Amino acid sequence: MSSRSVIVVGGGLTGALAALALARQGHRVDLYERRGDIREAEVVHGRSINLAISVRGLTGLERVGLRQRTLEMAVPMRGRRMHGRDRSQSFQPYSANPDDNIYSISRGGLNQMLIEEADLESAVQLHFHRRCTGVDAEAGTVSFIDDRDESCHEATADLVIGADGANSAIRHALMSDDQFDFDESFLSHGYMELFIPAAENGSFRIEKNALHIWPRRSFMMIALPNDDGSFTGTCFWPLEGENSFAALQDADQVRSFFQQWFPDVPDLVPDLEKQYLAASPSSLVTIRCKPWVVGKTVLIGDAAHAIVPFYGQGMNAGFEDVRILCEELQKHGDDQAAALLSYEGLRIENGNTIADLAISNFHEMRDHVASPMFLLGKKLSNLLQVVLPGWYRPLYSLVSFSNTPYTEAVEIARRQQKTIRLAMTLIIVGIVAAVSAIWRMS
């Protein structure tokens, strides 16, 4: 396969991994990022400080030799720790397999590591403060403005990768074609982050190895651990109306609301009222589009399929995009057009599927995880995993703890459920028949 020139627009997690992976695959890469160098940025609490990484994301990192280093930066989460309004707690393991963990990791720390690794590659050139203003998708030409001096720049490459997030300038340019399908939908809920500091001795104030959830049916709060003993809490509430962000306007209202619905949280966040009133909620968006490939230009990550965060798969799906794009480019050699179309065919439906699953899991986390029937179902699911290890795998495990394509995972789960329902029906029929026979004989 010939070495090709590549422009990656977007230096976030997915773009940085793409630049690194393609450089190590033998290509020459120019990475353009609208913001400054993240290695020089200060950590600002309040916006997506940490993320959940699982098998798909780790597989993408393994391709560039960074899987183990990433795990050393992360905190394993073995299940969900549920917090009731009465301060009671219960634990739900993710899986019957104790090795099935999700890992909480710093977004900024991981992004910095990827940028550092890319910077060490002689085949990678990094360009910061470069805002994309347009693309000629067929020619592979991208226009930029340097926000420091308003100077204009233009670059051309054999391949252009749009990895510039949910508000992608590359995607926006492609949308000028009337054949481009685009759908953007927002939840009525938004999110706001609260920083839960470590205890004075540096220890964790609540259980370290768990995703903490405060489910309250129409709204909820979660918290993910950081490696310094702190947690990142996130409130997912309606933007307007009852029990919403808009309903809390002063310190007394904030204090009263948390005491009513999240009574253990004020003990964890000493400056709760100050943090809350200094922040503002952000929206939760799902983006679907088609095509992902136009000429020499291809979309990956949130630029192609932004999803809500409730399955913990946004970054993982983006890293999977990178892995599959690299595999297809390798497989098709010098036929780049065939490689890009193959990548698109493999990824679009899977992107739509994980978007649906993420919204569905929001309702599960918010409404059902504390219900007795849900808990019974989880116990039965874990039991089946132990009893039928070669056959049964819950949908959550297929999504989070394997590289099974999302659409295939959903189909496997449907077949399993159909078989289980049939088996249960036959068992019930058999029991009824046996009881009837005994009754007739008596």
Side-chain angles (χ1 to χ4, degrees), residues 80 82-83 90 92 213-221 310 357-379:
R80 298 164 168 168
M82 315 303 299
H83 295 251
S90 60
Q92 299 174 11
I213 307 180
W214 290 257
R216 299 297 182 262
R217 301 196 69 82
S218 65
F219 58 105
M220 69 175 179
M221 177 176 168
F310 303 108
L357 289 173
I359 293 171
S360 175
N361 211 46
F362 169 52
H363 298 292
E364 177 179 302
M365 292 172 69
R366 185 191 70 182
D367 300 341
H368 304 307
V369 289
S371 73
M373 288 302 295
F374 179 86
L375 295 173
L376 180 62
K378 288 293 289 183
K379 290 179 180 178

Side-chain angles (χ1 to χ4, degrees), residues 9 25 34 37 39 48 156 171 229 331 335 365 376 385 393:
V9 179
Q25 201 162 298
R34 174 178 57 84
D37 190 336
R39 293 169 293 180
S48 302
T156 300
R171 187 189 65 239
K331 183 189 303 182
D335 193 346
M365 292 172 69
L376 180 62
Q385 229 180 326
R393 288 205 75 185

Side-chain angles (χ1 to χ4, degrees), residues 112-142:
Q112 287 180 31
M113 180 184 73
L114 290 171
I115 290 291
E116 286 170 359
E117 289 292 317
D119 202 12
L120 293 174
E121 295 289 327
S122 60
V124 176
Q125 296 295 316
L126 303 177
H127 310 269
F128 299 104
H129 302 286
R130 298 293 178 89
R131 174 165 49 90
C132 175
T133 56
V135 60
D136 182 333
E138 298 291 343
T141 300
V142 189

Side-chain angles (χ1 to χ4, degrees), residues 376-399:
L376 180 62
K378 288 293 289 183
K379 290 179 180 178
L380 176 60
S381 178
N382 287 341
L383 177 62
L384 288 172
Q385 229 180 326
V386 173
V387 175
L388 304 169
W391 178 76
Y392 181 78
R393 288 205 75 185
L395 177 59
Y396 191 90
S397 292
L398 288 166
V399 169

Side-chain angles (χ1 to χ4, degrees), residues 12 66 290 329 335 439:
L66 294 176
K290 186 177 182 179
L329 288 169
D335 193 346
W439 182 78

